[in-house]
Amino acid sequence: MNLSAVDRCAFVKTTPDCSMEDSFINYLKMTFCLLPPELTPLTITLCVSVRIYVFSIFSFCPNLSAISSSLRLTHNVAGVTFLALGNGAPDVFSATVAFSHPHTAGLAIGALFGAGIFVTTVVAGAVSLVKPFTVASRPFLRDVIFYMAAVFWTVVILYRGTISLGETLGYLGLYVVYVITVIASAYIYSHQKHSATRSSIQSSTHVPESIQSSVCVCACIDSEYCPLLPYCESTSSILLSSLNPVDSRIWRRKSWRWRAIKIVKMPLEVLLLLTVPVVDPDKEDRNWRRPLNCLNLITAPLVCVLTFRSGEYGMYQIEDQFPVWALTLLFGLFLSAIVFLTTTNNHPPPYHSLFSLLGFVVSAIWISAAALEVVSILHMLGVVFSLSNNLLGLTLLAWGNSIGDSFSDVTIARQGYPQMAISACFGGIIFNMLIGVGIGCLMQMFNNEPVVTFEPAGLLTWVLAGSLGLSLVLSFILVPLHCFHMGRSYGIFLLLFYAVFLLVALLTEFGFIHTGSL
């Protein structure tokens, strides 16, 4: 950054570390070579806006719910496995991609620790301010203890600067232990509750029948809006309606700002509809759209081979003659033709649930590709503004990944479910840290040496780790002292704690606090 604009472009073109081969776009080359220097701030703003916008689109919770129902998983098991992945997918994939490369591991550390502090202070504090409540003691202590164990393990690894294969598998094993603990706790609690209320349950066995009758009445009322004559849509009309991301009734009720944002989002929404099959168990037909689902069998495999590792495997040619993407296209056409000829528009086939698995895989590939671009964008920001990866991780990446969950948790608390909001806060960040670090380090081990080496941790890393550990210890001590009641005063304390942490982190990053001054 001390060079002139012309010299910066030459430096980016000739320096191997500036190649950014893992992403589709070389953001450093675009910033310093293709655009005038005065447009650099505008470029950065657009890149960050695109990052937040792209991740706001991705959601594969319907497919995960369909997979959970197909496997007959309980709500507890689904909540801490598949649905946790659905809610924390941007965090997990961002951390995985960042940890898979040594020069961007600081982004993952900053994002995981920064998101942990943000969620356990700002989100938990906002929930306490919106709806003071008494937290469930055993689940709260369980989640805090497991999260403290994960943070302590990560701090030890950062202090040593290396992590082995056994320690990496230990991250995944710790999450398995956490899932088993959640399942066992739920089973014990439900068994005790069933034993204590068996008589009341037996006395209320006729309640479902009355509910069923009322549902039938509602169904009869709703049937009045059905057409008198049967109407069968053509295959082409089903395809066009399935690819339309706009509901005309909602469109008429919304403001012009919502409509403008919707118009901007339409291209990406149509692209996702074309490539990601969605099985929704809440719908009567489970969202079966025969022409679109057959088209998904062609586009989904192509997305997998053309986006994984930036299309490196998709462009590979078999015996230097036939590309992999063409073979994938032929296979998709063959599979799509079989499904189209053996199914009808009105009834989903028995194997329709398999489309949820395909949609899950394609969604994961899309989010992984988007996370790769996000890490590259943040790496470019660090170069332009001379900021460390840790600071970018704890601010932009952590806020971008957590802000959506924050609004949803506060909304849930406003609706009278603060206990659910707090459980989502702690359960999600445990999943993000253990799975993100574990899978990210495994990916790096597969590509390099069996032992992953981290860059020496700076002072900001220890500020992050110390602040997160202190916030967890304070919650572990203060909440039980207040009889597990989280009131407005405690919410204000958590918000002030995050403000002090952010101030100390910024002063550390810009050199006002350093090891010599401590």
Side-chain angles (χ1 to χ4, degrees), residues 53 56-57 260-270:
Y53 157 67
S56 66
I57 295 294
I261 296 174
K262 187 67 175 178
I263 291 174
V264 175
K265 294 166 63 175
M266 278 184 188
L268 185 56
E269 290 180 348
V270 172

Side-chain angles (χ1 to χ4, degrees), residues 35 69 144 160 222 250 262 274 431 444 473 492 502 508:
L35 297 176
S69 61
V144 171
R160 287 168 38 197
D222 291 337
I250 298 177
K262 187 67 175 178
L274 279 171
F431 178 86
Q444 189 173 343
V473 171
I492 294 174
L502 192 59
T508 303

Side-chain angles (χ1 to χ4, degrees), residues 10 87 92 104 128-129 133 136 232 258 317 320 341 412 436 462 497 511:
N87 293 330
V92 172
T104 56
S128 302
L129 289 174
F133 69 105
C232 296
W258 184 91
Q317 293 189 352
D320 296 330
L341 295 175
I412 291 173
W462 303 122
F497 182 91

